[in-house]
Amino acid sequence: MTHSITVRLMAAIAAGLVATVGTGTAAVAAKSSSPTKAVCAPKAAHGTGSSEQVAKFQIYESLLQATDWGAWAAWMANGTTPGYTIKPVKYRCTKGSGLGVSCRGQTTVCKL
């Protein structure tokens, strides 16, 4: 394949993935019995890095990406998660594994 066709194909696949993730979030919100009631779901992720701080950053990114790519983008841009409340993440970390530190994190994410 030529470079431009490969780039267009990758862009189409990425757009399809973003559309699929957004559709899943909308479907969860639509199941709410009350329009003003938050819809909450447990989330978990794993991260590894050269320090505990890096591993925890990876976990938080993964939690947001699994929830809504728009919320992740807003968090990366300005530290907010519009439309979502993220409960405090509970971490368990192990030193000497992965890239130096390996952590698992769990939280509850609520769509407002």
Side-chain angles (χ1 to χ4, degrees), residues 4 17 24 36 49 104 107:
S4 64
L17 289 173
T36 59
R104 296 190 182 280
T107 190

Side-chain angles (χ1 to χ4, degrees), residues 41-95:
K43 299 281 183 179
H46 176 266
T48 186
S50 57
S51 69
E52 191 171 304
Q53 181 181 10
V54 171
K56 288 180 177 180
F57 180 85
Q58 275 193 348
I59 289 170
Y60 204 77
E61 273 196 302
S62 294
L63 292 168
L64 290 176
Q65 290 170 354
T67 301
D68 184 317
W69 282 89
W72 169 79
W75 180 72
M76 291 295 288
N78 58 28
T80 65
T81 54
Y84 294 91
T85 299
I86 314 295
K87 306 277 179 156
V89 180
K90 295 176 186 174
Y91 297 100
R92 274 194 326 206
C93 298
T94 305
K95 293 185 179 178

